[in-house]
Amino acid sequence: MSIRIIPLDQLEKSDKTTVEMLPLLFFPRLKNFYSRRAARLRDLAAKNPLGDYLRFAAVIAGAQEIVLYDHPLHMDLRDRLVQSAHEGKPPLDIHTLPRDMHWHRLLHSLIAELKPEMSGQALAVLENLEKASATELEALASALFAQDFAHVSSDKSPFIWAALSIYWAQMAALIPGKARAEYGEQHQFCPVCASIPVAGVVHMGNHDGSRYLHCNLCESEWYVAGNRCTCCDQTRDLHFWSLDSEQSAVKAESCGDCGTYLKILTQEKDPAVEPVADDLASLVLDARMEQEGFARSSLNPFLFPDES
């Protein structure tokens, strides 16, 4: 199954019934969104060996909250939605959507918020980004979206992605459409923007274990049926791993077919879990999965590879 976003006036009656029965897609609800993430990061930092980095990420998330409300986005996406539905592509496809200069304003506002909070290497990185030309910034964004990490240093990536994420989340929150399930593949990519997940979430009250994958860019969540790999769709040789106990709220689901794993967070076991924060705070589990020979199928916006 794959998910397409359809303009409201193009939904057939049967589509509307399906949407009401099973929410296939949740667009981001941005009120206090980043402040909740920042609070979770700070809470997790208190008893985590990576506490300093979690607090660093919390500072960025807190700045995102301020920048989000200082720079609202006004955009009519109806024509874009109609075009993308006709083409069968995500409406905010990172590979084809022309980027507005709005994200540059978000980045510079983010830098202004963060500079008083940073020192040393982090401050030097911000000052370097502050001087970058529009062309240079666009090249960095394109490299990140192409996962060409050799052309973007890992110390710049979180700041650039933080601004891009605000921009894409603002657009996603404005989409005037609903989701429709169709037969197809590539459900491991976000149906809103074609980016990849940071983690999966089993929502409160979802007793059948169905997961929603949380996008690492636009912050939308899309449904993926349970008991199958979220990357290759196979249903055999799936295993869950945890470091604490069977009751752990954070587990890794591995697939022996494609050799990948994805963190799955269960709200009933901890209602406070937050995809980005809890994924970042459980890097010990990532180390264990790598020892077992599995590779991540996801990407955390505060944990970009350094391939330079």
Side-chain angles (χ1 to χ4, degrees):
M1 185 195 78
S2 62
I3 296 173
R4 282 182 60 197
I5 302 170
I6 307 297
L8 290 175
D9 59 359
Q10 293 183 15
L11 279 174
E12 299 175 0
K13 185 176 181 179
S14 60
D15 295 323
K16 294 178 182 178
T17 301
T18 301
V19 170
E20 291 168 0
M21 290 176 57
L22 176 66
L24 299 176
L25 179 67
F26 295 106
F27 295 114
R29 297 177 181 178
L30 295 179
K31 185 177 181 180
N32 300 322
F33 181 85
Y34 294 107
S35 62
R36 290 195 300 271
R37 177 172 292 168
R40 180 61 172 173
L41 283 162
R42 288 192 294 269
D43 288 345
L44 292 169
K47 298 180 180 180
N48 195 290
L50 297 174
D52 287 345
Y53 193 72
L54 295 179
R55 283 184 282 270
F56 167 79
V59 170
I60 296 178
Q64 284 179 292
E65 179 78 15
I66 296 171
V67 171
L68 172 69
Y69 288 104
D70 283 350
H71 299 275
L73 179 65
H74 304 286
M75 181 180 289
D76 189 340
L77 291 168
R78 285 174 293 182
D79 290 343
R80 179 69 188 178
L81 190 58
V82 171
Q83 180 184 349
S84 64
H86 176 72
E87 296 173 347
K89 294 182 178 181
L92 306 180
D93 194 318
I94 57 176
H95 306 295
T96 59
L97 181 72
R99 291 189 289 268
D100 187 89
M101 290 292 289
H102 179 71
W103 87 267
H104 291 215
R105 292 189 287 274
L106 295 173
L107 177 61
H108 285 287
S109 181
L110 195 65
I111 291 171
E113 291 293 333
L114 289 172
K115 282 178 67 176
E117 305 291 333
M118 299 292 171
S119 60
Q121 178 63 20
L123 179 59
V125 169
L126 289 173
E127 291 174 342
N128 184 274
L129 284 173
E130 193 174 33
K131 299 173 184 176
S133 67
T135 301
E136 290 171 329
L137 292 179
E138 287 300 318
L140 292 171
S142 295
L144 283 178
F145 285 164
Q147 296 190 26
D148 184 7
F149 302 122
H151 288 86
V152 190
S153 62
S154 59
D155 53 3
K156 289 181 180 178
S157 299
F159 301 116
I160 299 168
W161 196 269
L164 289 168
S165 183
I166 299 171
Y167 175 40
W168 251 263
Q170 286 178 320
M171 289 190 291
L174 295 174
I175 291 178
K178 290 287 186 178
R180 181 169 73 188
E182 296 182 342
Y183 290 106
E185 300 177 349
Q186 296 189 328
H187 60 252
Q188 71 269 35
F189 297 106
C190 176
V192 177
C193 70
S195 192
I196 62 176
V198 61
V201 181
V202 179
H203 289 173
M204 190 79 73
N206 194 340
H207 299 294
D208 67 354
S210 299
R211 292 80 49 88
Y212 285 84
L213 303 189
H214 189 100
C215 181
N216 70 350
L217 178 68
C218 76
E219 311 288 0
S220 299
E221 291 188 351
W222 67 101
Y223 169 80
V224 173
N227 299 319
R228 61 183 61 245
C229 176
T230 57
C231 185
C232 72
D233 212 35
Q234 292 294 332
T235 58
R236 57 185 181 273
D237 203 11
L238 299 177
H239 299 278
F240 282 97
W241 308 71
S242 67
L243 294 176
D244 301 325
S245 69
E246 191 65 26
Q247 297 305 310
S248 176
V250 181
K251 294 183 179 180
E253 183 186 67
S254 68
C255 174
D257 279 279
C258 66
T260 67
Y261 72 93
L262 179 77
K263 302 269 188 68
I264 305 294
L265 316 179
T266 305
Q267 289 182 345
E268 284 200 338
K269 294 178 179 177
D270 185 349
V273 290
E274 198 283 329
V276 169
D278 283 80
D279 175 65
L280 193 63
S282 56
L283 292 185
V284 176
L285 181 55
D286 290 88
R288 170 68 187 278
M289 299 309 294
E290 290 177 7
Q291 289 175 357
E292 296 292 337
F294 295 101
R296 276 184 71 116
S297 62
S298 60
L299 183 64
N300 192 295
F302 292 109
L303 199 65
F304 284 88
D306 189 353
E307 300 181 6
S308 57

